[in-house]
DNA sequence: AATATAATTTAGGTTACCCAAATTATATTA
DNA sequence: TAATATAATTTGGGTAACCTAAATTATATT
């Protein structure tokens, strides 16, 4: 069965909206994610249902079928492998990879996918700490929590960021925070939930509550 | 100015049909190259003329403008760099790369293009011996000729193939002929122009006239 | 010059995508 | 329960890239 680029993007959107909540998504959320008109979403969700890639009812919204999930995970696997390639081998910064990966994830070639994964050493995580699904769609699950939930005095390791926007990633660069860094939670301010952390080299920085919610640690 | 994937493919077709003859192409040739209806070609060539990417008249056919040539060469550069990457780093055979490169050549990212070229060491030729345009569109020109035109007794080096079809490339693999191989022309049969060549290891094989015309040597 | 052949264009569709605005269904709230 | 807000669907329309068949225009051949 042939899945178009647009269809792949819709499947990804359904996945990312449902994989945490285990529920269903409405048209609006998807329309927003894809910056597309809700009418277009209705049209496309119907088509994806005809293709048995999602289940869809007007009232409950959409969720992926087994087939649809497989397809979505394959696209995500490609996306994250390409991001990894760009950072490790082509001197891209972690805030520069997403746009290009959005294009590369739609290249169709099983051999390319397998060889790329092998070339990279079958990595488990991408440059943002997101798990890379394996050939069967399995992802390593990490028992991490948001930095805001860490106890004061705890020494934690940064393992993932929840926001891949270039602006946020550059902000972390400027603060001197990178994936795999070990940091110590010194204080959490009562009045604004901002977090004071100690980085390597004893450097201390304040992170806003919003920023601290986007940093995952273990 | 935005150039769609389809438009890029038309520009490539115009290029490959004109760059040798220095002339112009008619609708029919392009229709054939792209396996598309001549009427569709008329439509698209008009559009490309509006965009100032080609010059086009009904009687003389189409040729690229300076702008159009630049765009076409950029796509070709990407195509050949990706083919090189696939062969050198991802274990692709030279008969497996073309299809995937047809997709990869449309990825839009100047940084990706620059970094990929640098990663490969700015190669001058692709796995089929085709020259790779540099950033400014300049290609190394090679003074080579078809194997059929080599003199008997001459020792020549295989530098390029004129047919990238998987069937032909696999045939060469089977015969034991690869790029950069040195071969000796032993005989050319009068009655069918077939060529007897000596490969390394003294092995001798007959190549049909058709095959010999698709092998470039120097 | 007349005619035959080849190339191109016109005319009228199709499919896959998109959007704005109007309508209808479902929740909320008063 | 009725009024109102929110969500989903329908209607109507648009674009890009293709298609076929028929008409037109160029180029060759007699
Ligand atoms: Mn990404
Ligand atoms: Mn990522
Ligand atoms: Mn190729
Ligand atoms: Mn090639």
């Amino acid at each position: 069965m042939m899945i178009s680029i647009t269809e792949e993007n819709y499947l990804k959107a359904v996945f990312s909206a449902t994989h945490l909540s285990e529920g269903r998504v409405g048209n609006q959320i998807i329309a927003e994610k894809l910056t597309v008109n809700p009418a277009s979403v209705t049209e496309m969700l119907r088509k994806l249902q005809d293709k048995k890639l999602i289940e869809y009812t007007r009232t409950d919204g959409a969720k992926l079928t087994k087939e649809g999930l497989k397809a979505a995970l394959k696209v995500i696997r490609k996306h994250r492998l390409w991001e990894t390639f760009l950072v490790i081998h082509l001197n891209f910064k972690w805030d520069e990879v997403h746009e290009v990966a959005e294009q590369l994830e739609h290249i169709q070639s099983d051999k390319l996918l397998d060889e790329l994964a092998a070339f990279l050493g079958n990595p488990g995580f991408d440059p943002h700490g997101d798990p890379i699904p394996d050939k069967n769609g399995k992802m390593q699950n990490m028992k991490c929590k948001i930095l805001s939930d860490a106890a004061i005095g705890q020494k934690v390791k940064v393992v993932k960021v929840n926001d891949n926007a270039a602006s946020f990633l550059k902000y972390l660069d400027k603060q001197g925070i990178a994936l795999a860094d070990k940091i110590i939670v010194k204080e959490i301010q009562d009045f604004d939930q901002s977090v004071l952390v100690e980085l390597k080299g004893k450097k201390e920085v304040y992170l806003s509550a919003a920023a601290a919610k986007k940093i995952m640690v273990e």
Side-chain angles (χ1 to χ4, degrees), chain A:
Chain A
M1 184 200 24
M2 160 71 197
I3 302 178
S4 76
I5 291 177
T6 309
E7 286 165 359
E8 286 188 337
N9 285 330
Y10 273 88
L11 291 177
K12 264 204 315 174
V14 174
F15 175 82
S16 80
T18 56
H19 82 296
L20 286 179
S21 58
E22 271 301 333
R24 292 174 172 246
V25 223
N27 290 23
Q28 211 132 68
I29 306 280
I30 293 174
E32 210 173 300
K33 266 187 198 290
L34 299 176
T35 47
V36 137
N37 195 285
S40 308
V41 177
T42 303
E43 224 177 53
M44 179 58 84
L45 291 187
R46 268 203 209 120
K47 191 159 62 134
L48 291 174
Q49 186 170 45
D50 288 348
K51 288 188 162 191
K52 309 240 187 284
L53 294 168
I54 65 168
E55 279 169 41
Y56 177 59
T57 61
R58 178 193 188 140
T59 45
D60 302 331
K63 70 175 256 206
L64 295 169
T65 61
K66 200 158 281 179
E67 270 285 288
L69 177 63
K70 205 179 132 194
L73 286 171
K74 187 167 180 180
V75 178
I76 289 164
R77 172 167 162 78
K78 286 191 274 184
H79 183 103
R80 294 181 180 167
L81 283 172
W82 279 116
E83 286 190 344
T84 305
F85 171 72
L86 294 174
V87 165
I88 294 185
H89 295 286
L90 296 194
N91 298 113
F92 276 64
K93 305 273 175 279
W94 68 344
D95 59 285
E96 297 174 319
V97 294
H98 185 73
E99 256 89 279
V100 187
E102 284 291 309
Q103 299 177 59
L104 287 163
E105 72 189 5
H106 302 293
I107 302 291
Q108 294 200 339
S109 163
D110 285 342
K111 180 171 171 72
L112 175 57
L113 179 48
D114 292 345
E115 295 284 352
L116 178 64
F119 178 73
L120 297 171
N122 292 298
F125 299 94
D126 84 357
H128 310 105
D130 289 305
I132 300 176
D134 71 12
K135 257 199 117 166
N136 307 309
K138 273 218 184 78
M139 290 190 253
Q140 283 175 247
N141 64 336
M142 16 183 209
K143 45 207 174 318
C144 59
K145 57 189 172 196
I146 59 179
L147 180 59
S148 321
D149 289 348
I152 291 171
Q154 232 185 337
K155 184 170 191 176
V156 293
K157 187 167 85 170
V158 178
V159 294
K160 174 165 134 59
V161 289
N162 283 332
D163 179 359
N164 290 353
S167 55
F168 177 61
L169 298 173
K170 278 184 186 147
Y171 164 81
L172 291 183
D173 285 344
K174 197 170 281 177
Q175 296 288 353
I177 296 175
L179 237 57
D181 280 3
K182 299 213 169 59
I183 62 182
I184 298 165
V185 181
K186 305 291 278 190
E187 288 175 27
I188 297 182
Q189 300 305 97
D190 265 8
F191 62 98
D192 68 352
Q193 310 307 116
S194 69
V195 181
L196 178 66
V197 296
E198 183 186 309
L199 313 178
K200 56 188 164 190
K202 299 268 183 251
K203 198 185 141 203
E204 292 192 345
V205 296
Y206 276 103
L207 298 171
S208 72
K213 267 185 217 148
K214 293 174 171 179
I215 299 172
M216 306 290 285
V217 297
E218 70 175 19

